[in-house]
Amino acid sequence: MRVAIVTSDARVYYTATKVLKEYGIPFHSLQVGEEIPFDVEVVLTGERDYGRVRFPVKVVVRDENFIDELLAKLEGRERFKRIYIAIDPGERPGLSVVADNRVLEVHHLKSPRDVGIILDLLDKYPGAKIKIGHGAKRQRVLMLKALADVLGYDYPLIVVNESRTTPKVGGIEVSQVQDIVAAINIGLREGKEVPIGELLDVKEPTKREIEDIKRRSRELSGNITISSRLAREVALGNLTLDEAIDRQKRRRRSR
């Protein structure tokens, strides 16, 4: 155990234990004045107790954002210099948090509009920037619109060329693992910072794009081909393919 919580403040103790358990970090729980075990490298405490805790390496717990300072001290460094929330866009986007080329956590999102976890991570890692792969145009536009509704169209993102970021896993397609690995690779690459609004300059889809979306609707549903109008809405990033298929099903039933 390399961490000890030393506090008389119940709120500090609750916040610290909650986050440490989320990260799987074992810890000692001590009262102020108790002897700190030899294996402790960092003490977590509150502002009220800071001066009373005699230990050379201390982190003040004000909210859940203490974690990046704690991780940095456990690694023997100062705060992370660069933190990126990296996204591999797709039907079920992969997501990673990369800090100074170290992967802190990964996630697999339910859909392109599932941006709640991204917003939570922005709160959890103050100063983090969002990176997003340039591929999967339709799904990327859906995600960008969902982010713009909350963060604003002037919010800057870093667009990364995601060519060759998605590996083969054991020679077979294993999409969930691939999406997450691609998100990690995107987080490790350089890119160009662009406001969300500039990335939403969506052109009118071609006939070929419309037909490709209709083909995908048949593959996904088994026997339903969405209309050209619905396919256009999907291409413009106004609907997911699943939503378009559901609308086509409702139309069939209503006839």
Side-chain angles (χ1 to χ4, degrees), residues 163-221:
S163 301
R164 296 185 295 278
T165 58
T166 304
K168 289 284 185 179
V169 181
I172 59 173
E173 296 289 330
V174 185
S175 61
Q176 186 165 344
V177 175
Q178 288 176 320
D179 294 340
I180 288 173
V181 173
I184 292 170
N185 288 334
I186 288 167
L188 295 171
R189 285 192 179 184
E190 298 299 319
K192 179 182 179 182
E193 191 165 280
V194 183
I196 292 178
E198 287 188 23
L199 298 172
L200 288 173
D201 183 18
V202 183
K203 297 178 181 179
E204 189 66 27
T206 64
K207 184 176 180 180
R208 181 176 179 179
E209 287 177 302
I210 295 291
E211 291 304 315
D212 183 60
I213 292 169
K214 292 167 73 172
R215 176 186 60 78
R216 285 281 296 123
S217 72
R218 287 193 296 274
E219 292 176 353
L220 193 62
S221 66

Side-chain angles (χ1 to χ4, degrees), residues 4-14 16 29-34 36 43-62:
I5 304 170
V6 185
T7 183
S8 60
D9 188 322
R11 184 190 61 80
V12 168
Y13 182 78
Y14 171 80
S29 296
L30 303 172
Q31 295 293 321
V32 177
E34 283 190 88
I36 297 172
V43 164
L44 299 177
T45 189
E47 291 180 321
R48 185 170 70 192
D49 297 319
Y50 189 86
R52 301 165 58 203
V53 176
R54 298 189 179 280
F55 197 78
V57 184
K58 296 179 284 189
V59 172
V60 175
V61 177
R62 297 182 179 88

